[in-house]
Amino acid sequence: MNRNLKYWLFLLLICLASLTVRATTFLTLQSTYLGSGWFQYQMNVQDDPFFSEADIDGLFFNFTNQVDQSCDSTNWVYDTTNLDWSFIGTTYSSRPYKTTFLMQSSKTSYRLGTDTNIDGAIGAIIILHVDVNSFYPGASTGKTSFSGYTTASCLIPCDPDQADGSPTNCVYDVKLVPDVIINSLIQTNGNIYGVDFSWDSQSTFVFQGSTDMLNWTNITYIYSTPPETLWTTNTALNAYGQFFRVAIVADAYDTNLPPISSALTGKSTSQNSVSVGAPVVTGCKFSAGKIVVAINAQPGQNLQVQAIDRAGKVYQTQQVIAKSTSVSATFTAKGLPNPVYFQTALLP
């Protein structure tokens, strides 16, 4: 292989490393220190295609010595009891959209609050409800609607001796679904014969090629085998272009797929049908290291409430009996995944 060809392949792999098939950034949180104790938090909710609906119901900032606050939207109010922002509007904005929060502290030093765990040096907690599309990992189990929270790093006020030298502006990307990672192209003597990529569940992908990164041609369907999938062919793929990507088209192994020459679009899954009287998780609140989960139920119902990760693994379980049409279950924040979702079901 000549030196020019080696260099071309290196550039190709650099391009592939930056490509993810579907944008999986759920939202970005930009925090800025404006001076005189004022902090600006701009929440930019993206149109993440894994979700057919994404509602943000609340925001908690690890914000000490607060003396003032404001927001550019009348749909948000600050709760002085729970020390968080709550969405009170009747209609959620269409994605993408931005909302800006201003908060002032009597402290004029700041540090970066990280997202390592909710009971540690947390920055922000984002309360959310999402409905998922059919290619969301786990959608094939029939669960299509989730309520829970995720966390984000952001600038927060602190005492002078806790200041960490962070810049005055910080942007954090919140991802509820990890990116598909292309590890390498399989090539011999300058010819492309396949792809190696990482994905953590059994899903159906389409492998695509392009000459300009604008127009993509479908090559084949691939069933992923977590944690790493290797697909190869005996036929060189260079005719499809010099850029390649994989796109997830369905959760699990879908055998009812259109011809590979067809244009592919994600199939939407409707929200779960809920029987009359079935309990429903309506939201959650963060309070002193605890998560209080709100549930609509029928009086007398015996409920099991679980904290789960996006794959459905159970981390904590609580049992409560509804004494009215609303009931709550309290979870210990320590040890819960990020993001975490809550589900409930009737017990005998």
Side-chain angles (χ1 to χ4, degrees):
M1 185 185 302
N2 62 48
R3 296 177 66 183
N4 288 337
L5 183 54
K6 286 183 179 179
Y7 180 67
W8 176 81
L9 284 174
F10 176 74
L11 289 179
L12 174 60
L13 292 177
I14 291 296
C15 291
L16 282 170
S18 66
L19 276 175
T20 54
V21 177
R22 297 181 182 274
T24 60
T25 298
F26 180 77
L27 65 78
T28 60
L29 183 65
Q30 181 174 358
S31 56
T32 306
Y33 181 63
L34 303 176
S36 301
W38 278 103
F39 292 76
Q40 175 180 283
Y41 301 100
Q42 184 179 83
M43 180 180 66
N44 186 353
V45 181
Q46 307 290 331
D47 191 13
D48 186 338
F50 278 101
F51 303 96
S52 58
E53 183 176 343
D55 304 330
I56 309 301
D57 294 319
L59 282 170
F60 170 85
F61 296 101
N62 190 8
F63 204 90
T64 59
N65 293 70
Q66 185 175 168
V67 295
D68 200 359
Q69 72 283 139
S70 66
C71 179
D72 66 352
S73 171
T74 57
N75 288 328
W76 287 88
V77 298
Y78 188 75
D79 187 333
T80 56
T81 300
N82 293 312
L83 303 180
D84 61 4
W85 292 92
S86 297
F87 183 83
I88 61 170
T90 57
T91 303
Y92 293 92
S93 299
S94 298
R95 296 174 294 163
Y97 67 87
K98 295 180 181 179
T99 306
T100 301
F101 306 86
L102 290 172
M103 302 175 71
Q104 186 182 28
S105 173
S106 60
K107 297 180 181 292
T108 57
S109 298
Y110 61 91
R111 64 177 176 87
L112 183 65
T114 65
D115 70 326
T116 52
N117 52 63
I118 199 170
D119 58 322
I122 196 67
I125 300 171
I126 302 161
I127 309 299
L128 51 86
H129 173 87
V130 294
D131 295 339
V132 304
N133 281 322
S134 62
F135 44 81
Y136 177 88
S140 59
T141 63
K143 182 67 175 177
T144 62
S145 182
F146 299 92
S147 293
Y149 67 82
T150 187
T151 61
S153 298
C154 65
L155 298 177
I156 55 176
C158 65
D159 293 325
D161 61 344
Q162 294 179 322
D164 60 4
S166 293
T168 57
N169 188 70
C170 172
V171 178
Y172 185 85
D173 290 342
V174 173
K175 293 177 179 288
L176 299 185
V177 179
D179 289 327
V180 181
I181 300 175
I182 295 180
N183 302 311
S184 65
L185 290 176
I186 309 305
Q187 59 86 28
T188 301
N189 297 326
N191 292 318
I192 308 302
Y193 288 97
V195 63
D196 181 296
F197 65 94
S198 296
W199 181 244
D200 64 358
S201 64
Q202 292 184 340
S203 302
T204 304
F205 287 82
V206 62
F207 186 34
Q208 299 175 319
S210 174
T211 59
D212 56 9
M213 296 183 68
L214 296 175
N215 301 291
W216 295 89
T217 301
N218 299 328
I219 299 173
T220 188
Y221 291 114
I222 301 175
Y223 291 151
S224 64
T225 53
E228 186 175 354
T229 300
L230 174 65
W231 178 88
T232 59
T233 180
N234 293 326
T235 304
L237 304 174
N238 299 53
Y240 289 98
Q242 65 269 42
F243 305 104
F244 296 86
R245 69 181 186 181
V246 289
I248 187 170
V249 295
D251 178 52
Y253 294 161
D254 192 342
T255 58
N256 185 25
L257 294 166
I260 195 63
S261 59
S262 302
L264 292 173
T265 57
K267 298 179 293 181
S268 294
T269 302
S270 60
Q271 188 171 345
N272 283 353
S273 59
V274 179
S275 60
V276 176
V280 177
V281 174
T282 58
C284 57
K285 285 280 188 180
F286 174 74
S287 177
K290 303 287 186 179
I291 301 298
V292 181
V293 179
I295 304 142
N296 282 350
Q298 298 296 316
Q301 286 183 331
N302 187 16
L303 307 178
Q304 176 179 269
V305 189
Q306 294 178 319
I308 62 174
D309 64 15
R310 67 175 184 84
K313 178 182 177 180
V314 177
Y315 284 75
Q316 291 183 35
T317 299
Q318 301 290 340
Q319 183 175 345
V320 295
I321 297 177
K323 295 182 178 180
S324 65
T325 56
S326 62
V327 65
S328 63
T330 302
F331 291 80
T332 301
K334 186 176 182 179
L336 292 181
N338 185 24
V340 62
Y341 301 116
F342 298 97
Q343 62 182 13
T344 185
L346 283 171
L347 290 174

